[in-house]
Each structure stands twice: as C-alpha cells, then as structure tokens.
Amino acid sequence: MKARLGLNSTTSHRPPSQDKPWMPKSERQKTGRSSGAQPGHSGKTLKMVDHPDEVVTLRVRGHCGCGQAWDSIPVSDELARQVLDLPEIRLHAVEYRAQVKVCPTCHHREQASFPAHVPGQVQYGPRIHGLAVYLNAVHFVPFKRTANILEAVCGAKLSDGTIALSLNVAAERLTAFETELKAALLNQPILHADETGSKVNGKLNWIHVVSCQQLTLYGHHEQRGYAALKDMDVLPRFQGTVIHDAWSMYFQLPAHHALCNAHLLRELRYLAEGHEQTWAAELRSAMQRVYHANKAGILTSEGRAVFLQQFDALVHLGLETNPMAPSFFGQRGRVKQTRRRNLALRCQRHREAILRFLGDEQVPFDNNQAERDIRMTCVKRKVSGGFRSAEGGMNFCRIRSYTSTLHKQGMNLWHGLVSIFRNDILMPNFS
C-alpha cells in the first residue's frame, strides 16, 4: 500500500500534472551546461521592417537660439523609429450585385450568376470561419468564449451553431487530405502510436494517434482496443516498425514492434525504490548507460554484447526473485501475478522489441513523438472539457491531423485553415 501511494510520473504512467510540486520531472542527466541559450544561439529580437506601411515625418519647428527659423533650413539627416502594431480589425463587407437585363425583343430575363462562395443572402467569409476553427480546434477555446473573442475583436456575433457548422465544413472538406495522409503513413518505415481518454457527453471515449516526424493522424473512437485501430485503417495494414507502450492490442498488429523504454525506466524505478528490487535498479542503470553510449556513437560491439548478457541475467534474476504466485485448489482461470513478476516477464517475452533501438539506428529509445502528439488532448480536456457528440470528436481529430501536420512541416496554420473555406486547400508534403 505504501508503494502504491508513492506512485508518481517518475515511477509509473501517471501524468506529471498529478505529481507533488517538488517531485523531479525528468529522467535527463545533467550536462553541466548553464541554463538558457547556449553559445552560438542566434536568438530573436524585434527588428525594423524595410518597407513600412506608413511614414510619419516629424518636422523641426520654431527658431534656433540665434534667432534663425528652422523652417528655412534644409534637412541634413533623419532618424527613424518604428511601431509595429495590428491595423484596426473589423468586418469587411463585400456586396455582390448581380445585374438583371430584359431583352426588348423577346422579353427574356437574364441574370448574372453569383460566385459559388456566395450561396445565401448574407454569410460570413473564409477568414471568420477560419479564425473560429483556429480558436476552437487549435487553441481549445470553448464555443461561447470563441464567440465572445470574435465579437470583441472584430464585431462578428457568431452563434454556437455557426461555429459548429464551421467545424463540420472544415472536417468534410479535409476528407481527401485524410485519405492521402493515411497512404503516406503506410509508406513510412517507423510509426509511433498512443492513446488517451476523451469524454463525449460525460462518457469515456478514446483519442488515438499514429504519427511520425512529419505527419500526424488522430482518430476518435468509443473503444480503446483494436476496433479503434481498425477504424483508423493504418496500423492494421502497416508493415514497418510501430513504437508503442506495450498495450496488448498493439501486439495484434502485423508490424514489427519497438517498446517505449521511457515507460520501462519509470517502472523499474518504481520496483527499485518502492519494493527494493536490486535487479530492477541495476537493469535501469544498465539501460541508461547503453542508451547514452549508443546515442553518442561510442557503443562498441563488445560493449553491446556485454550489455545483452547483463540484460538477460538481470531479467532471469528478476524472475527468480519474484516466483510465480501459487494456484489454489479449485481456482479457475489464470493466476494473477505480482506487478514485479509481470515486468520481468515482459522484459523476457518482448526482449527484441525493448532492445530494437540497438539494432536499428532509425528506431528511437522512447515513444516521445506520440507522447508529444497526444499531449494536446490532455490540454483540451483541462481547458474546454469533452465533446457534445461523437461527430464533434471525429471532426476535431481530422482538423487536428491537418494542423499538426502543417505545423510539423513549418507551414502557416492560419493560411491553411482559411484555404479550407476558400475550397483551395493548402496541402502538406506527403512524399
């Protein structure tokens, strides 16, 4: 019980937000460098623009001390200072007037056609819709607060229904993007996967992520298991390497597997500190040493062989230290084992997946890529809660797939979202 109460983000899968404020937050080793920017860092500073939009000339007025009027003296030099600010933001109304003509001979009436993006009597333009989606889906601002921001900044009084319509239209028009995204993910050598909870009208659902360095796909599903992966239609067809956190459903996939060793280090730390398992402490230290040596490029083949022997010996010691729990007469089903033995068994059964980073330089040590991509869902949960419908969750995931992919490739999110409502979508690079 004492060990369970002592669980935190450094010894389990518990998020850092639930830690006590004085708990350490990172497994990183100290480098000895000072905090802040390092030597050679270019830095950022506010710079003057070459072509200002407006120039205000400040004239010298009055008279010199000798009595000479300054107005009669030519200018010898000018000193410049600039103020960079936003222009006044307000709705820009464009009225389209379609001409109507009647033939004087046959009295046929002909009318000019309105543009395709002007279907109704009055409608908002692509920038307003894009800004509403940007606030709600990218920055997790709830509907009511999104409407308040738009009204305060530019005088647009959007209803909740209009904001929901903007999200629906954006998600529908991004269908082709999602299709190309899935095809591009299937061509990647390595993918990262993770999942986290998401509420729909108070009921627990799940958001899944499949990603790499340049692409991100989110999916929303009522289940956490294999049905969600099948619905996303990527991992069940993927033949490369999937990096995940050892959740059992991932092992049903036909791909090669690599496990997140950041999770393993936390669990080993828990066993070492909470249960005084010396094998766990030694294995954790050995994993850290070989990781840093491999990352620095100083791990030799002899050093790798020594580590592999040490890994097998420590896992075997872990199984001996934590023997199988006995079964009782008449007991049915599988006997529940201790957490200590289960971790040692996982290291034995999934040895290849745990140590894949040593044999393939493309495989990272951890699953931080997926962790970073899924973290935004936890932020949304804290800021604006869950979704009102399953459709809202799916729309959110499709839009986030688009904005996350644009962000990873250094493309402008604002231009991308506005392009959706202009029906000329800015597509990322899928090659």
Side-chain angles (χ1 to χ4, degrees):
M1 181 62 69
K2 182 179 179 181
R4 292 186 63 182
L5 291 175
L7 288 174
N8 54 61
S9 65
T10 66
T11 57
S12 68
H13 299 181
R14 182 173 296 180
S17 59
Q18 297 183 15
D19 285 348
K20 298 175 182 178
W22 56 85
M23 291 299 301
K25 301 295 184 183
S26 177
E27 290 279 351
R28 295 179 181 175
Q29 297 182 354
K30 292 186 178 296
T31 61
R33 295 180 295 183
S34 60
S35 60
Q38 301 301 310
H41 178 66
S42 59
K44 294 182 178 179
T45 185
L46 191 62
K47 297 181 179 180
M48 298 179 69
V49 299
D50 295 330
H51 304 287
D53 300 294
E54 181 182 357
V55 176
V56 177
T57 301
L58 305 176
R59 302 184 182 280
V60 181
R61 305 290 186 183
H63 295 77
C64 178
C66 65
Q68 178 72 35
W70 288 115
D71 289 340
S72 62
I73 300 175
V75 177
S76 61
D77 195 9
E78 285 186 338
L79 303 178
R81 295 181 181 181
Q82 292 184 350
V83 176
L84 307 182
D85 200 358
L86 291 173
E88 180 185 359
I89 302 175
R90 62 181 182 84
L91 288 181
H92 181 70
V94 177
E95 182 174 286
Y96 292 85
R97 296 183 178 181
Q99 292 183 345
V100 179
K101 294 186 177 181
V102 179
C103 177
T105 304
C106 64
H107 304 291
H108 172 73
R109 185 178 184 274
E110 187 67 26
Q111 172 188 319
S113 299
F114 284 100
H117 66 278
V118 190
Q121 189 75 19
V122 182
Q123 54 267 303
Y124 287 113
R127 291 189 182 90
I128 286 293
H129 288 296
L131 184 54
V133 173
Y134 183 72
L135 291 172
N136 181 261
V138 178
H139 293 289
F140 320 125
V141 182
F143 280 19
K144 187 62 66 178
R145 288 169 58 193
T146 296
N148 292 341
I149 292 173
L150 292 174
E151 182 178 4
V153 171
C154 55
K157 299 181 180 180
L158 275 67
S159 65
D160 289 3
T162 302
I163 298 174
L165 177 63
S166 300
L167 295 168
N168 290 338
V169 170
E172 181 181 354
R173 293 183 179 178
L174 287 173
T175 303
F177 155 79
E178 188 176 82
T179 301
E180 292 191 48
L181 174 62
K182 291 179 179 180
L185 286 169
L186 288 172
N187 292 327
Q188 298 297 315
I190 295 174
L191 292 179
H192 299 256
D194 202 359
E195 74 289 330
T196 191
S198 172
K199 293 293 184 69
V200 175
N201 284 329
K203 183 180 178 181
L204 181 62
N205 281 235
W206 297 88
I207 288 181
H208 295 254
V209 64
V210 178
S211 65
C212 62
Q213 189 174 5
Q214 295 292 315
L215 306 169
T216 308
L217 173 66
Y218 294 101
H220 195 276
H221 203 273
E222 62 182 2
Q223 297 184 27
R224 185 185 184 185
Y226 191 80
L229 301 184
K230 188 175 180 180
D231 187 63
M232 293 177 71
D233 196 29
V234 174
L235 292 182
R237 298 189 290 145
F238 183 62
Q239 300 296 322
T241 300
V242 179
I243 304 174
H244 53 85
D245 57 4
W247 181 240
S248 58
M249 70 165 177
Y250 291 117
F251 289 107
Q252 303 177 40
L253 299 171
H256 301 292
H257 299 275
L259 297 188
C260 176
N261 288 308
H263 284 78
L264 179 60
L265 291 181
R266 290 195 290 266
E267 292 178 281
L268 290 172
R269 182 174 185 171
Y270 165 72
L271 296 187
E273 297 180 356
H275 294 275
E276 298 181 352
Q277 299 272 308
T278 56
W279 70 272
E282 293 179 19
L283 181 57
R284 181 172 180 271
S285 299
M287 290 283 292
Q288 288 178 319
R289 285 195 302 270
V290 75
Y291 161 65
H292 289 289
N294 188 59
K295 183 179 180 180
I298 60 176
L299 181 64
T300 62
S301 57
E302 293 81 5
R304 182 182 288 106
V306 170
F307 166 74
L308 294 177
Q309 292 178 359
Q310 185 182 16
F311 181 90
D312 294 335
L314 290 173
V315 171
H316 181 70
L317 178 61
L319 293 173
E320 288 185 340
T321 307
N322 303 282
M324 183 179 295
S327 59
F328 300 97
F329 178 77
Q331 183 176 357
R332 304 172 66 179
R334 186 174 59 179
V335 179
K336 183 177 181 180
Q337 303 298 318
T338 64
R339 183 172 181 175
R340 304 182 293 276
R341 181 172 179 81
N342 283 334
L343 182 57
L345 283 173
R346 189 201 309 163
C347 292
Q348 183 186 64
R349 293 172 181 170
H350 302 298
R351 177 182 184 272
E352 181 180 357
I354 292 173
L355 304 179
R356 190 173 294 276
F357 74 97
L358 290 176
D360 187 347
E361 61 181 14
Q362 288 187 301
V363 176
F365 182 77
D366 51 44
N367 195 26
N368 282 354
Q369 180 67 67
E371 297 279 353
R372 288 191 294 266
D373 290 330
I374 204 69
R375 187 177 298 144
M376 63 86 197
T377 305
C378 303
V379 177
K380 173 179 171 49
R381 214 164 41 219
K382 293 169 64 176
V383 173
S384 57
F387 301 100
R388 301 178 183 180
S389 65
E391 182 184 7
M394 290 184 284
N395 289 345
F396 171 82
C397 286
R398 184 173 292 175
I399 295 170
R400 284 295 308 194
S401 299
Y402 178 69
T403 58
S404 176
T405 300
L406 290 187
H407 178 72
K408 286 181 176 180
Q409 298 188 14
M411 303 176 73
N412 191 290
L413 303 189
W414 168 246
H415 294 163
L417 290 173
V418 173
S419 74
I420 296 174
F421 295 97
R422 286 178 174 159
N423 220 0
D424 184 21
I425 300 176
L426 175 66
M427 283 292 192
N429 182 17
F430 292 116
S431 58

